[in-house]
Amino acid sequence: MIVHTGGLRSTLLLGGVLLALGVRPQASARFVENKGQWPGQVRYMAEVSGAAVWCEGDGLLVDRYDATEVHQAHAHARPVGAGRPVIRHHAMRLRFLGASVNGPVHGAQRLIGTHNYFLGSDPTKWGSNALAFGIVEWSEVAPGVRLRLTTTANGLKYDLHLAPGADPGAILLRYEGVDRISLRDDHLLLETSLGPVVERIPLAYQERNGKRVPVACTYTLTNGVIGFRLGRFDPAIELVIDPTLEFSTYSGSTTDNFGYSASFDEQGFLYSGSSSFGSGYPTTIGAYQETWNGGDGQGGPGTDIAISKYDTTGTFMLWSTMLGGQGDDLPTAFEVNANNEVYVLGTTGSPDFPTSGSAYDATFGGGATFSPVGIGVSYPNGSDMVVARLSNDGSQLLGSTYLGGSLNDGHNSGVGLRYNYADEMRGEVLLDAEERCIVLSCTQSADFPDEPGRSPQPAFGGGSHDGFVARFDAALSTLQWSTYVGGSGPDAAFGGEIFANGDLVICGGTASTNLPVTPGAYQSLFQGGEADAFAARSTPRGTP
């Protein structure tokens, strides 16, 4: 998801700072370093068109998937068990036979921004402040030979740089996990279950007196091992061999992200919240079928929450973080405080959603199986709301808690209250002058948590769900008060705002004919049709 807005003055200032730091603008793909969020053999990972590329010590693993099936699964989502399609993958590994598994691999061409991963309840598997690069370089894939990997519009491009005196015959490569490999018209043809992958005729050249001098170069293929046959060249000058690996024309587009919310801070920087259908590291190579680490999904990859911060023009991503557990996770809303820390409200089906040590509630409550149509997610064990607080660089989880009762929370399924995409997941997170965190959405739980004696409506009103409002302290460790908002029909709270005196106004939709109203209300009766809107105002303590 891309967010655009104005702000030329801030852009010029920021651009000067970025150039001074030696950081480059965004490239078409980002090689993100492993800070513990992936298995140990992974050094860097990039999402490219139709594939995830995992860089290892002695090679790279390309996990291709059928992106058309991903789009179709999302656009034509089916309930769980109703003929759900499975996303097809084919993973293949390019092994550098002269490289060490523990050999040095480095990122080059530093890109703007950092990445953070808060996935699951085990903090040892979280990764913070992971840098991104436009190039990955293996220092020695053969004696005197380094390899530089970049991305192209259609796949990958790697350059082999031979130091003076290095032997080209020592460069030996092998593809693992392909169905068949052959030489055809001087190209390498790699046949896979998702269609062919082509490694084009390598170019080779040397720089002499400021001019690029071509060198004849062809592939060799012996018992599955790839080498290079070169024409005449000067062994005293560096030689570059430049193949290109093309695959995206057969597999579609890159990982899907669907936007749910956006916000900004006092300096005008932009924040986007989306569902991320990201790829997990494949445990096997060759053709396979995968339920993605993101969650359960509906016939396709599950989702995690993705939050990104952009500059004032939406051009540069300054940081990005993943947040979620083993089930589907979606963002509902978020707010930025004066310290540029981000408060996130979301819906989760994850029993291991990352929570903080002082969390108000670290236990998943769950509920009934629920699969909203058209969103691509599924909650086989029900759902809770989650509230999280991230540091101003996205690298730390300052607070995180579940919020919910024994039935589904955060899902609007009422007839007449769903008209637009993702209306099933609506709500708001607000911060008052004391930075207490106020959240609102809807719940099906008659045992939704509250503080006795402090709720203007302490009991569930009825129907499929009620709206709710709840207030936490800034650390998300204490629930200070909460209340239901609803009558005997479906009700949902969608948005809110805080007045200067601290009063809270909320708005939403209702199909209840007996929604509690105050004396002298503008409209005291349900007006008919499938649903009415409602507005309510309360004091900072939650009383009407």
Side-chain angles (χ1 to χ4, degrees), residues 112-420:
I112 295 167
T114 57
H115 295 249
N116 306 286
Y117 300 81
F118 302 104
L119 300 175
S121 56
D122 184 358
T124 64
K125 296 181 180 179
W126 298 351
S128 297
N129 288 319
L131 303 180
F133 301 87
I135 296 172
V136 173
E137 181 171 303
W138 284 257
S139 297
E140 190 169 73
V141 297
V145 181
R146 59 188 173 92
L147 184 146
R148 290 167 59 91
L149 178 69
T150 59
T151 63
T152 69
N154 295 321
L156 299 172
K157 181 176 182 296
Y158 64 91
D159 302 333
L160 293 158
H161 294 255
L162 285 72
D167 178 12
I171 304 173
L172 299 174
L173 312 174
R174 182 174 64 222
Y175 277 100
E176 301 171 353
V178 298
D179 296 337
R180 185 170 179 268
I181 182 171
S182 59
L183 277 173
R184 186 173 301 177
D185 298 327
D186 292 328
H187 299 315
L188 277 175
L189 182 64
L190 312 172
E191 298 179 31
T192 77
S193 63
L194 294 181
V197 175
V198 178
E199 189 164 316
R200 299 291 179 186
I201 300 173
L203 301 175
Y205 59 88
Q206 292 182 300
E207 297 282 351
R208 184 180 293 118
N209 299 324
K211 294 183 179 180
R212 180 171 292 184
V213 179
V215 175
C217 182
T218 57
Y219 291 110
T220 64
L221 182 62
T222 306
N223 297 324
V225 176
I226 303 161
F228 299 92
R229 181 181 295 114
L230 294 166
R232 297 181 62 181
F233 66 95
D234 185 347
I237 301 175
E238 182 185 64
L239 172 71
V240 178
I241 303 174
D242 186 10
T244 300
L245 185 67
E246 294 186 357
F247 52 78
S248 68
T249 52
Y250 300 99
S251 57
S253 64
T254 189
T255 299
D256 287 329
N257 288 267
F258 293 90
Y260 280 76
S261 186
S263 189
F264 57 91
D265 61 26
E266 293 181 354
Q267 290 76 43
F269 288 91
L270 307 176
Y271 300 77
S272 71
S274 64
S275 60
S276 176
F277 295 78
S279 176
Y281 184 75
T283 56
T284 58
I285 58 174
Y288 65 100
Q289 295 177 336
E290 181 181 353
T291 299
W292 291 21
N293 264 346
D296 298 286
Q298 281 193 51
T303 62
D304 286 319
I305 296 170
I307 301 167
S308 301
K309 179 178 179 178
Y310 299 88
D311 77 319
T312 55
T313 68
T315 304
F316 301 123
M317 186 171 69
L318 303 177
W319 60 257
S320 180
T321 185
M322 302 289 287
L323 180 65
Q326 68 188 41
D328 284 335
D329 312 281
L330 290 175
T332 301
F334 53 97
E335 182 78 341
V336 184
N337 68 10
N339 294 323
N340 296 335
E341 297 164 348
V342 182
Y343 283 80
V344 183
L345 175 66
T347 306
T348 185
S350 299
D352 62 340
F353 191 90
T355 56
S356 52
S358 62
Y360 163 73
D361 184 0
T363 304
F364 179 65
T369 297
F370 179 61
S371 298
V373 175
I375 299 178
V377 298
S378 177
Y379 298 92
N381 298 307
S383 66
D384 278 359
M385 301 296 291
V386 286
V387 191
R389 178 185 176 187
L390 296 166
S391 63
N392 57 16
D393 61 357
S395 67
Q396 299 180 58
L397 197 61
L398 302 179
S400 180
T401 183
Y402 288 104
L403 175 63
S406 58
L407 294 182
N408 290 342
D409 308 285
H411 282 193
N412 162 34
S413 57
V415 176
L417 301 181
R418 294 176 290 122
Y419 287 97
N420 299 308

Side-chain angles (χ1 to χ4, degrees), residues 2 26 58 76 91 122 176 179 243 282 353 383 402 440 470 517 532:
I2 300 175
Q26 311 271 59
D58 62 344
H76 305 290
D122 184 358
E176 301 171 353
D179 296 337
F353 191 90
S383 66
Y402 288 104
L440 54 97
V517 295
D532 279 358

